[in-house]
Amino acid sequence: ADAAMATELRLSVETPPGHVRNLAAERWAEAIATKSNGAITVEVFPAAQLYKSADAIRALASGALDMSIQASPTLSRFEPNLSVITLPMFFGATRDDVRTILDGPLGDELWGMVAKKGIVVPDGGHFEFAPNNSAYTAGKVVATYGDLTGVKLATPPSPVVVAIMKEMGAAPQATPRSEIVLQLTQGQIDGLGSVTDLTIKGGKLWEAGIDNAFADNAGWGVYIPLMSKASLEKLSPEDQAIIQEAWSETVGWARDYAANELADARAVNEANGVTYHDPDPAAIQAMRERMTAAQDAIVADGGMDAEFVSRVQAALTGN
Amino acid sequence: MQALIGLGGMLVLMALGAPIFVSLGLAALLMLATEGRPLMDAAAHSINGINSTTFLAVPFFVMAATFMQKGGIARVIIEAAETWVGHFRGGLGLVAVIATTLFAAISGSSVVTAMAMGTFLIPAMVARGYDRPFALGLVGASGTLGILIPPSLSMILYGLIAEESVPRLFLAGVVPGLLQAALLGAWVIFYSRRKGYASGQRASTSEFIRKNLRALPAVAIPLSVFAGIYSGYTTVTESAGVAAIASVLVAICVYKEVTFRDVFPMATEGMKSASAVTFIVMFALLFAHWITGSGIPTALVNFAIARELEPWQFLLALNVMMIILGMFLDAIAVMLIVTPIVLPVLSTLGIDPVHFGIVLIVNMEIAFLTPPIGLNLFVLSSIAKAPMSEAVRGMVPFVIIMAVFLILITYIPEISLWLPNLLMQ
Amino acid sequence: MITKILTIWTRIEAVLIGLCIIAALLVFLGGAAVRAFAPAYSVDWAEEVALYGIIWATVLAGSSLVAEGRHLHTEVFLARFSPRTRAVIGWAMTGVATAFCAAMMVYGWQAYSFALLLDERSASSLRVPQAYAVFLALPVGMALILGRVALMILSGQRPFSGVVHLRETEEL
Ligand code: NA
Ligand code: NA
């Protein structure tokens, strides 16, 4: 790369500095700068300064934005098959199970679907932010799946998540993150559904009353690094390779960091008075089997490709 | 350089009388074009900017306010309030401050508060002989309490970015909010004496009873809104819708000044007032998007950080910076730019992030009032159908009061931190 | 003739704005009622659909605001000029505003087509195509403003002048 022809790229994330997504973005940017001897610089815009989540994806597709790191549920608004890891068949699945699927040919197929929207997933792929747990509640003990009946839970706005929670007997309410604390303190909701220990720790939600966790490891979510195809094609093949390689060198760190952070979060929550209930694996398996019966309807309603889903299921249960 | 051209172009267009949404949108569009960015993204950004739950409450509260004004509800409430404080000098001005403070405890937004209260308070104040710029300034400045007195959408956003507990931030806003209301009330009394606004006659006992009884159904509307929110039955946004429906029912069934046939045109009229402001918001968001991408505001704040100042100097420099940013940017944009840059240095300087959050909120309040881009200015100009220059003129003394208030909040952290520390540790 | 068209236009717009906003209010409160009293049947799309109503009502009102001279602008700096200079600047600003609206119509249409191509859906179980629900509103709103501007010029009025044409609005 010619130093006189400096390339400036913009990366937008909606999370604040210090969040694992931002840290990964900054490392990626550093690796790009190092590998290109400063010819390519990436400016990281945090906290939705530049684009809110779904806006960033559209901007990547049009070439208005160069790079981003997005959560799989947000991206599923453009490519519904990304919800595959949130489906009931992933209840109780391990981090390794998720990697086996997404790092293999089925993952490539999934990223290929994203590529059709003009958005490239670099080599190295995703890192996980889950597993999600079915319920974190305030002043209401949920220790078994039976206790979930009628519990009002704020869930991330995702049709798949809402459908699953309904099927479990809870009363899910897709709620924007900004409304959750207010609704909790005013008693409009009993708690949060299908989020992670980090959601509780990050918002210090014990101060808003959360004191119970039902840690059933139900469904997965990943962060996916993204590049605009239009922006990428303006670069030389060497520079394109630099950006791809820089991510391959970053992703291992991001995966370890995210996993450790999640493990620490539980301890912090417990120290702040959140009581954890871990259902036994047999109960989770029974729920998975019950939910898998409803999976076909969820897949159809969610606009997903049933054939692709069944191949993922075969690969998952084959392991 | 680029940023100066864009900023200058926007100001020139505005000064020459182009519509404000055009001045903002065109400047941003031209600058994005010179940067070589796809302009369809600019269009998408503008329209999708209002595709946010924040904007849901705006037209509902404005509809409620329109019904309350045209249906006689507002008049009945003001007449009743006057039987309590009307015999003081500036009595109606005090009514305005108190009513707006109460409404701020329902609404989480400055624009909504100024819009809903201005719709009936300004005509009422003008009818009682107050000069209109003063009325515009008073309602504009009181309206900013919407984001300082909980609930507050801005504090929720700050809590998300700063990973601070939102209940703690809410509590931290209570005492400052009451202090701001007291400062505004003191100014109303001082100004009314100087201007010699006549005080009303003290109401006779029979008049006092009659007017307060007549106001009971009207007062039930804000009360039901409070009850809905704090009992957990409705969210803040839903309460706006409930208020709109309740206003219609009370206006038609109790005071009978409007009929069912009037509902439709009044809803349309309320929506138009809201739309005049929303058009500006759309393109103010686009303008902020361009200028954020240019990196200039970030560089400004980083400059202040790099000086290695004492904490008090740092806060002073930052306040000056935020007031300047707040003149040209939407208040939310100021927060999005400043918070992520400043947060990491707060702990080294020993500044409590909750205290800083309140300092930031007060700066955002000021941003709503300062020209050229001040949403409360636009709101009041729109609903009072008054020229912008008049709203700006009326706002001057109140911006000075708010600056004094900002100094108090900045250098006496206890004003913000006393209540949360008392109740949450 | 043109005045008549403008009047009818305003009336149609008023009906559409009113329908959008009242529908938004009813859907939104209906959703809230179900959530409060029958949480098991709550829907995740009431807020979203209400927002579509408000977005469309907002852009539709933009055109009526032009007719009524209610788009906000400042006038302080123009006061010192002669009436003639003011008229020239005024028409220049009308041209600028019209050009901007035309540009936003074109780019807004591109944004709509692009959202259609991307097949972006809402986050609720309705999975509403965002192209129709959100992005189409901008070019439609801008086109309405342009149509209104043309008719106003033909009838001898200056659009974006900030002068309220009372006669027209009084007929509502
Ligand atoms: Na408030
Ligand atoms: Na301002």
Side-chain angles (χ1 to χ4, degrees):
Chain A
D2 182 356
M5 294 276 288
T7 304
E8 285 175 22
L9 300 175
R10 304 202 298 192
L11 188 156
S12 168
V13 282
E14 72 242 38
T15 39
H19 191 278
V20 58
R21 253 202 267 188
N22 300 54
L23 297 177
E26 285 156 17
R27 286 201 161 227
W28 190 12
E30 267 173 42
I32 291 171
T34 313
K35 292 177 88 68
S36 68
N37 293 321
I40 310 176
T41 54
V42 179
E43 187 167 3
V44 178
F45 289 89
Q49 272 181 3
L50 214 50
Y51 288 102
K52 288 183 287 178
S53 48
D55 298 356
I57 297 168
R58 204 180 315 109
L60 285 167
S62 73
L65 176 68
D66 305 309
M67 300 155 76
S68 183
I69 299 179
Q70 290 289 331
S72 49
T74 318
L75 204 50
S76 75
R77 291 176 53 181
F78 296 79
E79 177 42 69
N81 287 311
L82 279 163
S83 293
V84 70
I85 49 173
T86 316
L87 286 174
M89 61 184 176
F90 274 88
F91 273 36
T94 65
R95 192 171 264 108
D96 283 337
D97 293 337
V98 175
R99 287 185 190 172
T100 308
I101 302 293
L102 291 186
D103 290 345
L106 287 163
D108 290 340
E109 205 175 319
L110 202 50
W111 307 150
M113 298 178 201
V114 177
K116 287 200 185 111
K117 311 269 174 181
I119 302 173
V120 179
V121 179
D123 300 339
H126 75 283
F127 57 106
E128 304 85 5
F129 66 75
N132 298 314
N133 290 319
S134 287
Y136 294 89
T137 45
K140 194 161 214 160
V141 176
V142 175
T144 66
Y145 278 113
D147 294 340
L148 270 176
T149 309
V151 176
K152 287 191 232 173
L153 296 173
T155 69
S158 149
V160 172
V161 166
V162 168
I164 292 174
M165 301 294 303
K166 268 203 171 137
E167 199 59 42
M168 287 172 134
Q173 349 232 308
T175 310
R177 236 176 107 203
S178 57
E179 293 243 353
I180 286 174
V181 168
L182 210 57
Q183 297 200 11
L184 260 182
T185 48
Q186 292 171 358
Q188 283 147 351
I189 49 174
D190 299 316
L192 289 78
S194 196
V195 295
T196 74
D197 290 334
L198 266 176
T199 316
I200 308 302
K201 178 186 166 234
K204 298 184 181 158
L205 290 183
W206 51 83
E207 289 197 354
I210 294 290
D211 57 4
N212 181 91
F214 182 60
D216 63 339
N217 179 4
W220 281 81
V222 295
Y223 290 129
I224 307 165
L226 302 169
M227 301 175 300
S228 163
K229 200 170 172 189
S231 308
L232 212 55
E233 280 169 355
K234 287 187 197 153
L235 304 177
S236 67
E238 298 80 44
D239 286 355
Q240 294 186 25
I242 283 175
I243 296 176
Q244 295 259 5
E245 284 161 22
W247 178 255
S248 315
E249 290 171 15
T250 308
V251 65
W253 174 87
R255 287 181 177 189
D256 293 346
Y257 185 93
N260 288 335
E261 198 184 28
L262 197 58
D264 291 344
R266 172 164 179 161
V268 173
N269 294 341
E270 282 176 324
N272 283 285
V274 181
T275 309
Y276 273 74
H277 303 276
D278 297 291
D280 73 274
I284 297 175
Q285 196 187 333
M287 180 51 82
R288 178 172 62 225
E289 276 158 18
R290 199 186 110 195
M291 298 297 299
T292 309
Q295 188 167 287
D296 288 348
I298 295 173
V299 167
D301 291 346
M304 300 168 72
D305 176 355
E307 187 269 337
F308 175 73
V309 171
S310 70
R311 281 189 288 127
V312 172
Q313 181 145 22
L316 186 64
T317 49
N319 285 329
Chain B
M1 194 58 213
Q2 291 272 312
L4 285 180
I5 295 172
L7 204 57
M10 186 268 286
L11 292 176
V12 168
L13 283 172
M14 215 182 267
L16 291 179
I20 292 166
F21 81 88
V22 172
S23 311
L24 288 161
L26 188 58
L29 203 62
L30 292 176
M31 296 316 291
L32 288 167
T34 57
E35 289 174 12
R37 309 207 178 272
L39 294 184
M40 75 171 170
D41 183 66
H45 205 84
S46 312
I47 189 71
N48 209 42
I50 60 168
N51 185 14
S52 141
T53 43
T54 316
F55 288 95
L56 211 46
V58 175
F60 292 162
F61 270 126
V62 177
M63 273 165 76
T66 312
F67 293 137
M68 288 176 91
Q69 188 202 355
K70 302 227 162 122
I73 299 167
R75 201 192 63 241
V76 170
I77 291 183
I78 288 169
E79 280 176 1
E82 280 185 319
T83 65
W84 295 79
V85 290
H87 52 283
F88 296 117
R89 249 186 224 291
L92 185 58
L94 290 177
V95 168
V97 174
I98 295 167
T100 312
T101 307
L102 289 175
F103 191 81
I106 302 170
S107 135
S109 128
S110 165
V111 170
V112 166
T113 309
M115 227 175 204
M117 299 314 280
T119 307
F120 59 83
L121 279 173
I122 291 171
M125 287 178 77
V126 171
R128 299 286 194 291
Y130 288 75
D131 60 288
R132 196 164 66 171
F134 173 75
L136 292 169
L138 182 65
V139 175
S142 315
T144 61
L145 285 169
I147 60 167
L148 183 58
I149 289 179
S152 160
L153 293 171
S154 307
M155 285 184 195
I156 290 171
L157 191 58
Y158 178 79
L160 287 179
I161 302 176
E163 305 213 315
E164 272 305 319
S165 131
V166 175
R168 185 176 290 272
L169 283 163
F170 277 6
L171 282 176
V174 173
V175 176
L178 296 177
L179 176 62
Q180 181 186 333
L183 286 175
L184 295 175
W187 173 252
V188 167
I189 293 170
F190 172 80
Y191 185 86
S192 306
R193 272 177 205 282
R194 208 182 61 184
K195 281 286 213 171
Y197 286 145
S199 47
Q201 293 208 319
R202 186 185 280 275
S204 66
T205 313
S206 68
E207 203 183 358
F208 184 88
I209 294 173
R210 186 174 52 82
K211 285 191 171 167
N212 279 284
L213 276 181
R214 182 157 167 75
L216 276 184
V219 173
I221 299 170
L223 284 184
S224 67
V225 169
F226 269 110
I229 293 180
Y230 288 99
S231 69
Y233 265 109
T234 56
T235 66
V236 176
T237 317
E238 285 159 9
S239 71
V242 172
I245 298 275
S247 309
V248 173
L249 293 179
V250 171
I252 294 174
C253 304
V254 180
Y255 297 114
K256 301 194 169 75
E257 291 190 14
V258 290
T259 64
F260 191 73
R261 291 178 42 136
D262 299 321
V263 171
F264 199 83
M266 287 191 322
T268 311
E269 175 51 37
M271 187 61 227
K272 280 187 194 168
S273 293
S275 174
V277 177
T278 311
F279 256 76
I280 296 175
V281 170
M282 265 198 276
F283 296 105
L285 291 174
L286 180 63
F287 188 79
H289 172 68
W290 160 68
I291 210 165
T292 304
S294 79
I296 301 293
T298 310
L300 269 182
V301 180
N302 275 329
F303 179 78
I305 291 176
R307 298 296 98 185
E308 297 193 2
L309 303 167
E310 295 289 311
W312 73 269
Q313 296 170 319
F314 174 79
L315 284 171
L316 183 67
L318 213 55
N319 276 329
V320 171
M321 215 66 90
M322 285 194 275
I323 286 175
I324 295 172
L325 289 177
M327 289 170 69
F328 299 102
L329 292 174
D330 169 59
I332 295 290
V334 175
M335 171 186 283
L336 291 180
I337 290 166
V338 171
T339 313
I341 313 171
V342 170
L343 273 179
V345 293
L346 287 182
S347 60
T348 24
L349 291 169
I351 299 169
D352 188 311
V354 171
H355 172 223
F356 180 74
I358 302 299
V359 172
L360 182 67
I361 296 283
V362 175
N363 270 292
M364 291 173 69
E365 291 187 84
I366 295 176
F368 279 112
L369 304 177
T370 48
I373 310 297
L375 284 190
N376 279 22
L377 285 174
F378 301 150
V379 163
L380 293 169
S381 176
S382 168
I383 56 176
K385 305 207 168 77
M388 275 285 296
S389 52
E390 196 180 314
V392 173
R393 189 150 40 90
M395 217 59 85
V396 172
F398 291 99
V399 170
I400 295 170
I401 293 171
M402 290 301 292
V404 173
F405 176 57
L406 175 61
I407 293 171
L408 292 176
I409 293 297
T410 306
Y411 292 110
I412 313 177
E414 288 75 18
I415 301 175
S416 316
L417 298 178
W418 173 75
L419 189 62
N421 286 346
L422 183 76
L423 294 180
M424 294 192 79
Q425 271 172 8
Chain C
M1 177 61 190
I2 292 174
T3 319
K4 179 137 182 121
I5 297 176
L6 279 171
T7 309
I8 295 170
W9 184 321
T10 302
R11 205 163 288 171
I12 294 173
E13 257 170 18
V15 170
L16 292 176
I17 294 167
L19 286 178
C20 282
I21 185 71
I22 287 177
L25 183 61
L26 294 180
V27 167
F28 184 61
L29 285 182
V34 171
R35 209 208 53 217
F37 303 114
Y41 300 95
S42 64
V43 294
D44 62 343
W45 45 258
E47 220 174 78
E48 172 188 312
V49 171
L51 251 175
Y52 300 147
I54 287 169
I55 291 171
W56 278 89
T58 300
V59 297
L60 290 175
S63 150
S64 292
L65 290 172
V66 172
E68 294 166 27
R70 283 171 63 185
H71 274 296
L72 295 168
H73 67 130
T74 55
E75 64 301 287
V76 226
F77 299 96
L78 289 178
R80 65 193 68 195
F81 294 115
S82 70
R84 203 187 144 74
T85 317
R86 254 187 304 193
V88 172
I89 295 177
W91 276 103
M93 288 306 112
T94 296
V96 164
T98 309
F100 174 72
C101 292
M104 279 330 257
M105 182 181 71
V106 172
Y107 297 124
W109 182 263
Q110 288 179 5
Y112 152 76
S113 315
F114 191 63
L116 206 57
L117 185 77
L118 280 181
D119 195 24
E120 178 185 356
R121 302 302 183 100
S122 68
S124 79
S125 45
L126 286 186
R127 300 186 67 247
V128 176
Q130 298 295 281
Y132 298 111
V134 178
F135 295 103
L136 186 58
L138 185 65
V140 168
M142 290 297 165
L144 287 174
I145 290 180
L146 289 176
R148 183 80 83 153
V149 163
L151 285 179
M152 285 175 78
I153 292 176
L154 285 177
S155 72
Q157 304 178 49
R158 179 166 85 72
F160 302 107
S161 63
V163 176
V164 181
H165 300 279
L166 280 175
R167 229 179 327 133
E168 191 190 320
T169 45
E170 267 167 4
E171 285 174 27
L172 276 174

